[in-house]
Amino acid sequence: MNDPSVHDASHWFGWPARRPRLALCLTAAFFLIAIASITRLSSDGSLAAMFPENQPSARALAVISSQFPAADSLWLVVTLPPDAPDDRERLVAYAQRFESEIAADKWFAGNVTSIAYRSTPEAERFFRDVALPHLWLYLDERGRADLQARLEPEAITTALQRAERAAATPGAAGVMMQSFLYDPLQLRELVQSRFTQELAAAASDATEGLFLSRDGRSLLIQIGGAKSAGDMAFVHRLMQATRSASTRAEPGGLSVGYTGAYAIANTAERSIRSDMIRSITGSLIMLQCLFLLTYRWLWAFPIAFAPVAVGVTTGFAVIAWLGWPLSPPTAVIGAILAGLGLDYAIHYMSHYHAAADRHGRTVASHVAGTLGLTLVMACLTSVAAFAVVALSDVPALRHFSVIGVVGLMASLVGTFVLLPAVLVFAAGVSRDGQTDRSPLQTRWRFDGILLSAIRWRRVGVPVMVALALAAAALLALPGGVVRFNDDLAVMHPKPNAPLALQEQVTRDFPNHGDALLLLLEADSDSDLVALAHQTSRRLMDSPAAQRAVASSAGLHSLLPDPLTHAASLLSAQQIDPDRVVRDFGAAVADSAFSPEAFTAYREYLRDLVRPGDAPGMEALRQFPDLAGALLPHAEANTGTNSRAITVLFLREAMTTSQGRADTVNTLRLALNDLPGVTLTGMSVVGHDVGGAVAGDLAQLAPIAAAFVGLLLLLGFRSLRDTAMALVPLVVGMLLLLAWMKLVDVRLNMVNLVSIPLLVGLGVDDGVFTIGTARSCRKRGLPKAELLRELAASCHAVTITSATTLLAFGSLMLTSTPAIRSMGQVLAVGVVACWAATVLLLVPLAYALHPNPTSLSNPTPDDPPANTGKERQP
């Protein structure tokens, strides 16, 4: 029976075989344009593209990473050899030599904003020049009462007498006198505790403010960069220049490690490119080996891969044209597309070989016509799965989706345009369609699998059904269907020396331990300072927050609260400055100290109780190191919105998921309903990612399933055929999820896409199998012919599953744990769907196929044993 639709399709899909030179020229021109576009590709070594955009904590961390100089830093950890004695001077000497090399290198002049290995003196200068002159404005009601008490005559006299006794103590006179002359009434201690931990370290005589580890054997050197860690050209140059300066400084046996934002971004960017090369190269090598084992012809794989090369190149060219950088997911999608796009060429070539003996003329046109619509449907289901991923809140996954959609569609077009043209020349087919030979004969075919599945269907079908039911029962048990990984470390490549060193710094260096961040946003600088104070009060008023937070540093530490300024001025009116100066002068006159030594201090006391305007952001910006630790780059604060950060130092490290969740929830409860305040940090984002993964999965998987089901229903126009085509997907997904639960494979923001992708990819085997059965049914072919057609499909399904498995398996060669996990999940899913197709769907399709009584056919119980060998040469 002739199907008119086949002849119509042959006309449209078969033109490249009729005009092969034109098809090759058009494809070559398009390919060269795509290659030229790819040269514009850049890489992003940060995790910003992996953060869900709808998560406030992720958005806040992205803002801090891109706009705040505190995030743009390079840390050098200099450590004594294990067998060397403690020698702080040796560490400091190297730091001084390194600092000199930095100063002597002209490149660093405009590209490095700071270098420090001890606490900045700016903190002490700010305290002395800004905070102490405005001491009254820094104090709360209790502090002002305490200050007022210290300015009473009796308190002044007591303070001077205490200083006289201390000065008479042997060994302490020098130190005490210096402190006494600077602040004889010890007023600075009323506010000093409010300032940053850096100020406390700077005042420490024990370490001279050095950034030493707790054991004193390592020194931390911090370098501030002038550009963002997302500027990879700058990052590469900074790392290269810093390593050269370190070598010139002659470490002399000291080990020098690199960490911080720049070092981590540099390692990640290099890993992204190496992962892309490693995954694609590994995929190509394994696929070539598979083709060599399967086909008799050496050039079978290059011919089959030609359309895929066009598709992969087109996908990357699109994101290069859009200006999107490579991220870990987008870098490895080339290997995925290599396996998926190759499926179309394999099915085309398998049917080409099957038709070669029966269609001596116009073989390529015949195959394109009979298989074209099925290939389009299979492509659309996969494209739908990739398109659904575009609904994710993660920018990198949306980029991943775009490459997948464009790459698969371009691969399909390449299969219809490029592959027939190449086969015409490779197979020795003349322009009139006459073929001399078929280069696609296989060394091994997999028809025996088909025959065994049908012959033993009374065993295989019940076994697959039992496995599916067992998997469903396992998933119904307590513990959830899937678990989620909230550790963002899986997004970084491993091994990762900078990341490991950062963990060591967090563990071993004081004031660099576990800390969380608060991003503060307000309409003006004054409102921003007031918000910082309001935030601090919220944390102080919460007993649970106090148990979690040891201390905090922010604008509330450095600047007085604008909202209390009027009350401070009013309370100062109760003190007579002339009386305070007289009482102090009288007490000094009655003491052993010279009145002339305190002339400036008397003027300070007069100004202290008559404060003027409070110091604000303008005063803080006069101290770049302090401002850089809390405020964004100057150019980032243009407009009406002002931003700052507050650092929360925790009492205990968040080493467990439950501990992280408890801390995050406690702090959010304390800051509830406080607008403009967002709790963030890698630990917070990691905690939120777990919820985001669950939400994305709950959203994406049903949408992907609905899209695929609708496409199948529209394409097949049969509820039965649609349901049968979904059998491999349903069974394969049940087996995959059960396996993930058994071996505790957890979902993260990368391998999350495996589930919706498998919805589209897993159904392809069913589409090809049911599509073949439908074609045989429409043409009125008996079961013997159905076996012949299914043999070609089974062969193609097995090869395509193997190629897809190898493509996903190549992801396990990458250095990023999340990417390796995605490859593992997809590989297991592909195997499960293939098993469900061969052992369950094929026997069902055979059993349900009509068997015309007017034809002599083998019975279902006795399929021909030599079906797979009839076409062998």
Side-chain angles (χ1 to χ4, degrees):
M1 180 183 297
N2 292 328
D3 187 353
S5 64
V6 172
H7 297 289
D8 294 340
S10 298
H11 175 75
W12 291 105
F13 289 120
W15 75 264
R18 297 191 298 271
R19 294 180 174 82
R21 290 183 176 84
L22 175 62
L24 290 175
C25 290
L26 291 175
T27 305
F30 181 82
F31 184 73
L32 291 176
I33 294 174
I35 287 290
S37 299
I38 286 181
T39 59
R40 303 169 53 189
L41 269 178
S42 60
S43 300
D44 184 1
S46 69
L47 286 184
M50 293 303 304
F51 294 155
E53 289 181 328
N54 71 334
Q55 292 290 337
S57 60
R59 183 195 66 83
L61 189 57
V63 169
I64 293 173
S65 300
S66 62
Q67 297 185 11
F68 283 73
D72 300 327
S73 61
L74 174 62
W75 295 357
L76 278 68
V77 180
V78 186
T79 306
L80 293 167
D83 56 348
D86 292 353
D87 191 349
R88 183 187 308 166
E89 288 72 19
R90 183 179 176 184
L91 296 173
V92 173
Y94 168 79
Q96 292 172 341
R97 294 195 303 272
F98 177 75
E99 187 176 22
S100 299
E101 292 294 337
I102 294 291
D105 192 326
K106 294 182 179 179
W107 184 86
F108 285 106
N111 294 290
V112 167
T113 58
S114 64
I115 176 172
Y117 48 90
R118 65 175 76 241
S119 297
T120 171
E122 278 194 0
E124 180 65 28
R125 287 195 297 108
F126 183 89
F127 181 73
R128 183 183 66 245
D129 299 342
V130 177
L132 282 181
H134 299 88
L135 178 62
W136 189 271
L137 301 179
Y138 279 85
L139 300 176
D140 56 15
E141 185 175 353
R142 178 182 297 180
R144 291 193 295 269
D146 192 358
L147 174 59
Q148 189 170 358
R150 295 190 183 208
L151 296 180
E152 294 297 325
E154 297 81 3
I156 295 174
T157 301
T158 300
L160 292 175
Q161 290 173 351
R162 184 169 58 249
E164 287 180 336
R165 290 193 298 271
T169 303
V175 176
M176 291 299 302
M177 283 303 297
Q178 183 178 5
S179 175
F180 171 75
L181 292 175
Y182 178 67
D183 185 16
L185 301 183
Q186 298 296 298
L187 301 181
R188 63 180 290 160
E189 68 184 28
L190 294 175
V191 73
Q192 186 167 354
S193 61
R194 284 186 46 181
F195 280 73
T196 63
Q197 294 186 352
E198 185 179 18
L199 177 60
S204 172
D205 293 329
T207 63
E208 300 175 352
L210 294 172
F211 297 154
L212 288 172
S213 60
R214 289 182 172 86
D215 61 6
R217 297 185 60 81
S218 297
L219 178 68
L220 182 66
I221 303 175
Q222 297 179 340
I223 299 176
K227 296 183 180 180
S228 168
D231 187 337
M232 296 313 303
F234 174 79
V235 170
H236 292 325
R237 185 67 182 89
L238 175 64
M239 292 299 301
Q240 180 183 8
T242 302
R243 292 181 188 275
S244 298
S246 175
T247 301
R248 295 194 302 270
E250 301 177 0
L254 299 173
S255 67
V256 181
Y258 300 85
T259 185
Y262 290 118
I264 293 174
N266 184 63
T267 298
E269 193 271 345
R270 292 184 184 277
S271 296
I272 287 173
R273 291 189 178 274
S274 65
D275 281 354
M276 181 173 64
I277 296 172
R278 188 184 302 114
S279 61
I280 293 178
T281 303
S283 177
L284 294 180
I285 292 174
M286 290 187 288
L287 290 172
Q288 173 69 349
C289 292
L290 175 65
F291 269 69
L292 286 176
L293 290 173
T294 305
Y295 292 96
R296 296 177 184 270
W297 199 35
L298 177 65
W299 293 98
F301 174 69
I303 289 176
F305 188 73
V308 184
V310 174
V312 173
T313 305
T314 303
F316 282 107
V318 167
I319 68 163
W321 183 75
L322 294 173
W324 295 343
L326 285 175
S327 60
T330 56
V332 299
I333 194 175
I336 296 177
L337 290 177
L340 301 182
L342 200 59
D343 291 358
Y344 312 136
I346 290 174
H347 278 280
Y348 188 100
M349 291 168 64
S350 180
H351 283 264
Y352 181 98
H353 172 58
D357 292 336
R358 291 175 289 160
H359 299 273
R361 300 175 61 86
T362 62
V363 176
S365 295
H366 173 81
V367 174
T370 56
L371 192 63
L373 296 179
T374 302
L375 285 176
V376 170
M377 187 180 300
C379 178
L380 289 178
T381 58
S382 299
V383 165
F386 275 99
V388 167
V389 176
L391 300 176
S392 172
D393 294 313
V394 180
L397 296 186
R398 293 202 298 271
H399 302 170
F400 175 92
S401 170
V402 170
I403 299 177
V405 168
V406 174
L408 285 179
M409 295 182 68
S411 296
L412 180 65
V413 173
T415 300
F416 287 136
V417 176
L418 178 60
L419 189 57
V422 174
L423 288 175
V424 165
F425 290 105
V429 180
S430 62
R431 290 191 62 177
D432 64 0
Q434 183 66 39
T435 180
D436 298 328
R437 57 185 173 86
S438 172
L440 303 174
Q441 296 171 358
T442 57
R443 181 173 302 162
W444 292 318
R445 290 190 64 83
F446 302 95
D447 302 359
I449 298 175
L450 170 79
L451 299 176
S452 298
I454 294 176
R455 182 176 293 112
W456 296 97
R457 65 186 181 277
R458 289 185 175 88
V459 176
V461 171
V463 167
M464 288 302 301
V465 172
L467 286 176
L469 294 176
L474 176 63
L475 295 175
L477 294 176
V481 176
V482 292
R483 299 178 180 89
F484 307 100
N485 190 344
D486 58 2
D487 183 6
L488 291 184
V490 298
M491 306 292 186
H492 286 284
K494 297 291 180 66
N496 194 319
L499 195 63
L501 188 58
Q502 186 179 57
E503 294 173 355
Q504 178 184 332
V505 169
T506 299
R507 183 177 61 252
D508 296 343
F509 282 78
N511 303 329
H512 290 86
D514 267 14
L516 300 180
L517 302 175
L518 295 175
L519 176 64
L520 309 182
E521 299 175 286
D523 294 334
S524 66
D525 286 350
S526 177
D527 291 342
L528 189 65
V529 177
L531 180 61
H533 281 273
Q534 189 177 2
T535 302
S536 177
R537 286 193 294 270
R538 283 284 192 96
L539 295 174
M540 292 291 293
D541 293 341
S542 170
Q546 282 296 295
R547 288 192 295 270
V549 178
S551 61
S552 62
L555 294 180
H556 66 282
S557 308
L558 299 175
L559 298 174
D561 188 352
L563 298 182
T564 63
H565 182 64
S568 298
L569 292 179
L570 183 61
S571 63
Q573 300 298 323
Q574 303 173 10
I575 304 176
D576 182 2
D578 294 330
R579 192 271 303 169
V580 172
V581 173
R582 285 197 306 272
D583 292 342
F584 179 76
V588 170
D590 292 340
S591 70
F593 300 108
S594 171
E596 289 76 13
F598 299 103
T599 302
Y601 195 72
R602 285 195 294 269
E603 293 303 317
Y604 166 72
L605 291 176
R606 186 184 301 277
D607 295 336
L608 175 65
V609 295
R610 286 295 180 266
D613 294 335
M617 299 284 272
E618 298 78 9
L620 178 59
R621 292 191 177 102
Q622 301 305 311
F623 299 82
D625 289 347
L626 286 181
L630 302 175
L631 302 179
H633 297 289
E635 60 272 16
N637 238 358
T638 57
T640 59
N641 199 39
S642 295
R643 295 189 175 99
I645 59 175
T646 294
V647 184
L648 306 180
F649 297 97
L650 304 181
R651 296 186 185 276
E652 296 181 0
M654 296 183 294
T655 56
T656 65
S657 297
Q658 187 58 48
R660 183 184 303 119
D662 291 342
T663 301
V664 170
N665 293 333
T666 294
L667 296 178
R668 282 179 171 163
L669 182 62
L671 301 173
N672 188 33
D673 299 330
L674 191 59
V677 179
T678 305
L679 180 67
T680 187
M682 293 298 289
S683 297
V684 180
V685 174
H687 167 75
D688 292 343
V689 159
V693 169
D696 274 359
L697 180 61
Q699 175 190 29
L700 298 183
I703 294 177
F707 273 10
V708 168
L710 181 60
L711 286 172
L712 292 181
L713 194 58
L714 291 175
F716 287 143
R717 299 182 182 180
S718 167
L719 190 59
R720 190 194 76 166
D721 289 344
T722 299
M724 290 184 66
L726 291 173
V727 166
L729 171 63
V730 174
V731 175
M733 194 65 70
L734 285 173
L735 296 178
L736 170 65
L737 295 177
W739 171 81
M740 292 177 64
K741 188 171 184 177
L742 279 175
V743 301
D744 196 25
V745 175
R746 304 197 173 204
L747 289 180
N748 53 60
M749 291 308 299
V750 174
N751 67 13
L752 161 72
V753 302
S754 305
I755 304 301
L757 281 183
L758 279 173
V759 172
L761 307 180
V763 79
D764 283 355
D765 293 348
V767 169
F768 285 114
T769 302
I770 299 304
T772 299
R774 281 170 56 87
S775 177
C776 292
R777 190 168 65 244
K778 285 184 178 181
R779 289 179 284 164
L781 299 180
K783 286 190 174 182
E785 289 297 323
L786 172 66
L787 280 178
R788 190 185 299 273
E789 297 289 340
L790 283 179
S793 283
C794 181
H795 172 79
V797 164
T798 302
I799 295 297
T800 55
S801 296
T803 57
T804 306
L805 178 65
L806 291 178
F808 293 151
S810 68
L811 300 184
M812 300 179 195
L813 302 176
T814 63
S815 59
T816 305
I819 300 295
R820 292 200 299 267
S821 175
M822 180 172 70
Q824 187 181 25
V825 170
L826 287 170
V828 172
V830 167
V831 172
C833 291
W834 173 84
T837 300
V838 175
L839 300 179
L840 184 57
L841 181 60
V842 167
L844 288 176
Y846 182 84
L848 295 176
H849 186 75
N851 193 24
T853 56
S854 60
L855 299 175
S856 177
N857 301 300
T859 65
D861 295 322
D862 187 23
N866 62 341
T867 301
K869 300 180 181 179
E870 291 178 354
R871 297 183 306 276
Q872 294 300 322

